[in-house]
Amino acid sequence: MKLWTSLFWCFSLVSGVLAAQSSPDRWEKYEALARSGPVDLDSSSFVELTQAPRDYYAVVLLTALDARFGCVMCREFDPEWDLMARSWNKGSKLDGLKVAFGTLDFNDGKAVFQKLMLQTAPVLLLFPPTIGPYAKLDAEPVRYDFTSPIGAEQLYAWIGRHLPEGPKPPLVRPFNYMRLISAITILMGAITLFTVLSPYILPIVQNRSLWAAVSLIAILLFTSGQMFNHIRKVPYVAGDGHGGISYFAGGFQNQFGMETQIIAAIYAVLSFATIALALKVPRMQDVNGQQLAVFIWGGVLFVTYSLLLSVFKTKNGGYPFYLPPF
């Protein structure tokens, strides 16, 4: 009986030693497989990579890339995951810090998904080491659930927070030559188009009357309160409480959309009347026609300004000024 007991304890001791020595062997195996990115796993290799004892961190992405499963986030994040693993494997790391990246697709690891009772994908599991200088007392894996699309930078920072303090490989994105070529092509096309169309475009762009009209229209829009309407989301018109429609809001701090258009039209008439009196009328050669134009445009200016003052008085009954006929 004592002989069998002694043999049992010897066998247990040898098994423990062999198990402790298996972790470096497993690390060397998966480190060799992970030269170009994360290791593609199946159910058996997932168990082998994550079983204790282990002297390394194991970061495993459980995903479902097959189009049958309709996991759009899985397919969107897959290149970000490959980029993250490649950046880590190629960069310089803290001495003794071992991190293995692996990918387990649902088609290759249905048993693991069932054992972990996973109903969604992707899911990221980070297994801390159980032996070695960075061993954790709590060897339970840390889980990251993807609630929204996420880039490699955010997830790389999350993984870094669970690793020991010290230098870590930077995340390096490869230079996007296609974007550079596309930008150069678009720029060359724009320069070519401008060169061909410049004889037709430059006279329009350099037209002083066009710029004066655009500037005047912009001034009329902004002085009449269009920006106020966009900011406050004011109503177009409102009821007056007697079954009718009110086009003007009471008070100088309120206005309606229709009111803005009316004020802009009044300002436009005043502007054109002033421009006509200042520029057009003095150039007329006929004296009698010139006098008639002065009376006409002067009358338009007077009546329109009278209408503007009446609008001011409508908005605020205490406004003291007015002009006939309004």
Side-chain angles (χ1 to χ4, degrees), residues 57-284:
Y57 288 86
V59 186
V60 181
L61 176 68
L62 297 102
T63 184
L65 297 175
D66 197 313
R68 295 176 301 168
F69 305 120
C71 183
V72 178
M73 192 181 302
C74 296
R75 294 193 293 271
E76 289 179 350
F77 183 70
D78 188 61
E80 298 289 301
W81 172 248
D82 291 338
L83 171 65
M84 187 165 55
R86 287 197 304 270
S87 298
W88 180 273
N89 294 334
K90 294 179 180 179
S92 59
K93 298 168 278 292
L94 189 67
D95 292 340
L97 180 59
K98 303 175 183 178
V99 181
F101 290 88
T103 303
L104 179 63
D105 192 85
F106 180 76
N107 286 331
D108 302 322
K110 296 180 180 179
V112 175
F113 276 77
Q114 293 173 357
K115 181 180 179 180
L116 298 177
M117 294 183 293
L118 297 179
Q119 301 294 329
T120 59
V123 173
L124 189 75
L125 296 177
L126 188 148
F127 296 83
T130 59
I131 60 174
Y134 303 114
K136 301 287 186 179
L137 295 178
D138 185 7
E140 290 297 319
V142 183
R143 174 172 171 169
Y144 185 93
D145 289 308
F146 293 79
T147 56
S148 61
I150 188 172
E153 289 80 7
Q154 294 89 335
L155 196 57
Y156 202 65
W158 178 83
I159 293 174
R161 289 195 296 269
H162 291 84
L163 299 180
E165 295 291 335
K168 300 178 181 64
L171 182 66
V172 180
R173 287 189 176 274
F175 188 78
N176 194 336
Y177 291 98
M178 289 302 299
R179 180 176 296 179
L180 176 63
I181 294 173
S182 300
I184 294 175
T185 303
I186 294 174
L187 179 61
M188 294 178 62
I191 294 174
T192 303
L193 184 64
F194 178 79
T195 303
V196 173
L197 298 179
S198 58
Y200 309 99
I201 296 177
L202 286 179
I204 299 175
V205 174
Q206 296 174 349
N207 190 293
R208 296 177 60 185
S209 299
L210 176 63
W211 283 107
V214 172
S215 300
L216 184 59
I217 292 173
I219 291 172
L220 292 175
L221 289 176
F222 285 108
T223 55
S224 62
Q226 289 291 338
M227 189 60 67
F228 181 91
N229 294 348
H230 286 289
I231 295 175
R232 297 292 184 89
K233 307 296 182 183
V234 300
Y236 189 68
V237 293
D240 60 358
H242 303 286
I245 298 176
S246 178
Y247 298 102
F248 301 98
F252 290 133
Q253 300 299 322
N254 303 306
Q255 66 182 24
F256 298 142
M258 185 65 178
E259 174 185 343
T260 302
Q261 297 176 2
I262 295 174
I263 296 298
I266 293 175
Y267 285 166
V269 173
L270 291 173
S271 302
F272 288 129
T274 304
I275 293 172
L277 285 171
L279 300 178
K280 300 297 182 181
V281 174
R283 298 177 183 175
M284 297 177 64

Side-chain angles (χ1 to χ4, degrees), residues 14 18 31 56 72 134 140 169 178 240 260 282 291 302 326:
V14 172
L18 292 176
E31 184 184 25
Y56 54 85
V72 178
Y134 303 114
E140 290 297 319
M178 289 302 299
D240 60 358
T260 302
Q291 291 178 351
F302 184 86
F326 297 103

